[in-house]
Amino acid sequence: SKATLFDKGAKVNITFADVAGLDEAKVEVMEIVDFLKNPKKYTSLGGKIPKGALLVGPPGTGKTLLAKAMAGEAQVPFFSLSGSDFVEMFVGVGASRVRDLFKQAREKAPCIIFIDEIDAIGRARGRNAIMSNDERENTLNQLLVEMDGFGGDTGIIILAATNRPDVLDSALLRPGRFDRQISIDRPDVKGREAIFKVHLMPIKISETLDLHKLAEQTPGFAGADIANVCNEAALIAARKGKEAVDMSDFQDAIDRVIGGLEKKNKIIA
Ligand code: ATP
């Protein structure tokens, strides 16, 4: 995902139709979209609208995409930042960025704020971190202050993504903060088929292409890997001067992406 360094309340055109699979997660986020669209309906009986939700799942599974789709569906501006942007920042910059972001968000509410890789700033305080502890703590503290500083009726929903909910500071998970967790898992064969369908849309494919087979041949692939396969296959076929992308091109593309994934895993291990 690499959410852009600082999405300053951009309008988004992405909708749930762009997000394939993730049926259970979609049901949960639709509730949140409805909070943004019809806040009064929910507060009329004295209930408090949740401020934040955590999207939990491995890289490339569509967390950023889903967050953007929520903004698209609710037709509200989308603000984002990534926890990793705060790594190696000058003292005080992290906290002031957070303050700025919330200031702008309040001016444009209703809106969505998305914090990618929240674990980079939200690790339990006192544990070893990438950033100098003080600066990371300042940033995290500022985030907590901002979250507590507005009521649920302000129309700001804060979404945060992580694949390590276990390392998060418990302060973040308290009621009134990120008190909902939505899990975004790697797609099963049905999900992969749906993701292929979305990413094959712009591609000229041969009539003999077997979608189900492609899904079967890509166990463990995340949505981002599938998007990558579709693009690679189109380039491979084009390089060969073909009129349409066929099964053998996809085979080559899958092999190539598997090769890339293995390399990545080796580096991590
Ligand atoms: P990261 O943890 O690395 O930030 P992420 O979970 O936020 O990853 P995205 O950035 O949303 O993943 O996904 C990257 C790209 O992969 C998307 O822009 C999209 O092209 C494709 N993709 C991922 N999941 C899906 C999905 N469920 N349906 C359609 N496309 C998907």
Side-chain angles (χ1 to χ4, degrees), residues 116-134:
D116 203 5
E117 301 179 59
I118 191 159
D119 36 290
I121 46 171
R123 256 166 211 270
R125 284 167 279 196
R127 280 202 219 172
N128 62 331
I130 321 160
M131 232 186 296
S132 92
N133 253 345
D134 282 353

Side-chain angles (χ1 to χ4, degrees), residues 51 102 106 145-158:
K51 290 180 187 174
F102 276 82
R106 273 192 298 269
V145 165
E146 296 291 348
M147 283 191 89
D148 293 344
F150 67 84
D153 54 356
T154 315
I156 302 177
I157 297 274
I158 308 163

Side-chain angles (χ1 to χ4, degrees), residues 82-101:
S82 173
S84 59
D85 298 338
F86 294 103
V87 177
E88 288 178 21
M89 240 179 207
F90 295 110
V91 176
V93 174
S96 89
R97 278 251 172 130
V98 169
R99 206 177 305 120
D100 271 6
L101 180 75

Side-chain angles (χ1 to χ4, degrees), residues 143-203:
L143 177 63
L144 297 174
V145 165
E146 296 291 348
M147 283 191 89
D148 293 344
F150 67 84
D153 54 356
T154 315
I156 302 177
I157 297 274
I158 308 163
L159 304 168
T162 183
N163 57 352
R164 294 298 309 275
D166 53 310
V167 303
L168 291 182
D169 197 303
S170 59
L172 278 169
L173 308 176
R174 252 173 239 151
R177 293 172 181 164
F178 295 101
D179 47 8
R180 291 189 171 205
Q181 292 203 14
I182 298 169
S183 57
I184 314 286
D185 295 318
R186 281 212 183 79
D188 60 9
V189 72
K190 220 175 109 236
R192 292 196 299 276
E193 197 170 325
I195 297 171
F196 266 112
K197 221 177 236 166
V198 166
H199 288 280
L200 287 178
M201 230 123 55
I203 292 176

